[in-house]
Amino acid sequence: MTVTLALAGDTMLGRGVARTLATTPPGALVAPEVVAALGQADLVVLNLECCISERGRRWAAPGKPFFFRAPPRAVELLVLLGTDCVTLANNHALDYGADALADTLDHLAAAGIATVGAGTDLDQARRPAMLTVGGLRVAVLGITDHPPDFAAGPGRPGVAFADLGRGAPDWLPQTVRDAAAQADVTLVTPHWGPNMTSAPVRHVRRTAAALVDAGATLVAGHSAHVPHGVAGPVLYDLGDFLDDYRVDPRLRNDLGLLFLVTLDGRGPVRLEALPLKLEFCHTRLAAGEDAIWMRRRFRSACAALGTDVEPAADRLIIRWR
């Protein structure tokens, strides 16, 4: 018995994407062939890097440069994508404060989309989502290592913040162990490490090992805005999925990957990665030189971590067994 997860990285529906949503049908933002690929999975999980609200004021943090808030209509796009669960554990969940976070939780719950990594208090922020598909129980947990001022507390809304600089705090592996004891598959999806890096930094690698040791079936990270390589059951960074960002000409954050990972109760079995092209507020499958560049980049990043990648017609494949 297996389950296939579709994993998409940073999905930013604010700023330029929000303005586009105001005048454009949600379906115009993601190409039909990408939606079809998502439909091949049993569960779709992504990092929602914004709040969804019409309320709130910008978070008062000196030097904070970016604030992402999407309109309620953004939920229609998430539903179109077949989204089952989002992680809100990131550095934009509280961009417009506690009221906007509360609205985000309400809008997603009304659409039947589970949330992890943020909540009305510490317990809710750290609580896993428990999803069942095809007879398998799937636990999803979300955490972030930045920013500390977004951290939830007893009676305080916020995100599941974990200071990973000196290794995983004790509560984190214990939370993974508790979730794994109740589930057949445990997915941990951390927002970790600095932006715009080509490989995972030391504290990310150290934390990944701790999560796997604690019972994570799969770890799928994000934050760098570009995909990183895969090592064992760890996808270090999913890259971006939809945004309006400026493009770095060297790291090519206008190219990404959509991951389809098949797992069973013993762990991951097979990964398929589809190259993506991120245009301004629109995502499609990559083609031509863009696809060649992304395929070469991912194979190189995986090789550096000791993982072999098989080329296929329109995607890249990793086999665990």
Side-chain angles (χ1 to χ4, degrees):
M1 191 178 300
T2 62
V3 60
T4 297
L5 306 181
L7 302 172
D10 295 349
T11 304
M12 197 288 289
L13 307 181
R15 205 166 60 181
V17 183
R19 292 191 290 272
T20 301
L21 278 168
T23 59
T24 305
L29 276 68
V30 178
E33 61 268 24
V34 177
V35 177
L38 289 163
Q40 297 173 20
D42 300 303
L43 293 173
V44 176
V45 181
L46 57 81
N47 175 46
L48 183 62
E49 198 157 37
C50 62
C51 58
I52 300 176
S53 179
E54 296 176 308
R55 299 194 297 158
R57 303 174 67 176
R58 287 188 170 188
W59 188 264
K64 180 172 172 59
F66 303 119
F67 299 85
F68 300 147
R69 179 174 57 182
R73 193 183 189 194
V75 176
E76 297 177 31
L77 174 58
L78 296 174
V79 171
L80 175 70
L81 299 176
T83 310
D84 296 286
C85 181
V86 303
T87 177
L88 300 171
N90 56 55
N91 54 315
H92 293 287
L94 264 76
D95 276 2
Y96 285 81
D99 287 343
L101 173 59
D103 289 345
T104 305
L105 296 169
D106 289 345
H107 286 308
L108 293 168
I113 298 172
T115 57
V116 296
T120 56
D121 58 24
L122 183 61
D123 287 343
Q124 186 181 19
R126 293 181 178 178
R127 186 179 306 145
M130 302 298 294
L131 310 171
T132 302
V133 59
L136 289 176
R137 297 163 298 172
V138 180
V140 184
L141 297 94
I143 62 146
T144 181
D145 66 358
H146 61 286
D149 54 325
F150 275 17
R156 185 176 73 244
V159 301
F161 170 75
D163 184 352
L164 304 179
R166 297 183 179 179
D170 291 343
W171 67 265
L172 179 53
Q174 186 59 53
T175 301
V176 175
R177 283 191 289 270
D178 292 344
Q182 304 174 58
D184 301 297
V185 171
T186 302
L187 168 67
V188 184
T189 178
H191 199 69
W192 54 10
N195 293 168
M196 305 308 291
T197 57
S198 60
V201 296
R202 179 178 299 177
H203 80 263
V204 164
R205 297 189 192 206
R206 186 168 56 238
T207 302
L211 295 173
V212 173
D213 287 347
T217 316
L218 189 72
V219 178
H222 30 81
S223 180
H225 296 304
V226 292
H228 287 173
V230 175
V234 181
L235 286 60
Y236 277 105
D237 205 290
L238 302 175
D240 287 349
F241 180 72
L242 179 65
D243 60 49
D244 68 350
Y245 302 155
R246 181 178 64 85
V247 176
D248 183 292
R250 182 178 67 88
L251 291 176
R252 294 296 305 271
N253 56 304
D254 62 324
L255 300 177
L257 293 166
L258 173 64
F259 295 88
L260 300 174
V261 183
T262 300
L263 311 98
D264 61 19
R266 294 189 294 142
V269 177
R270 174 187 173 98
L271 175 150
E272 298 183 10
L274 287 73
L276 300 175
K277 172 65 175 176
L278 280 69
E279 297 164 332
F280 182 79
C281 306
H282 181 263
T283 298
R284 59 175 173 82
L285 294 182
E289 291 299 320
D290 287 334
I292 291 171
W293 191 97
M294 188 69 257
R295 291 161 73 93
R296 183 187 304 121
R297 171 74 186 96
F298 184 60
R299 293 182 73 183
S300 174
C302 288
L305 297 171
T307 300
D308 293 329
V309 179
E310 302 174 20
D314 64 342
R315 55 193 66 189
L316 297 150
I317 297 172
I318 294 172
R319 301 179 196 271
W320 283 275
R321 50 189 163 90

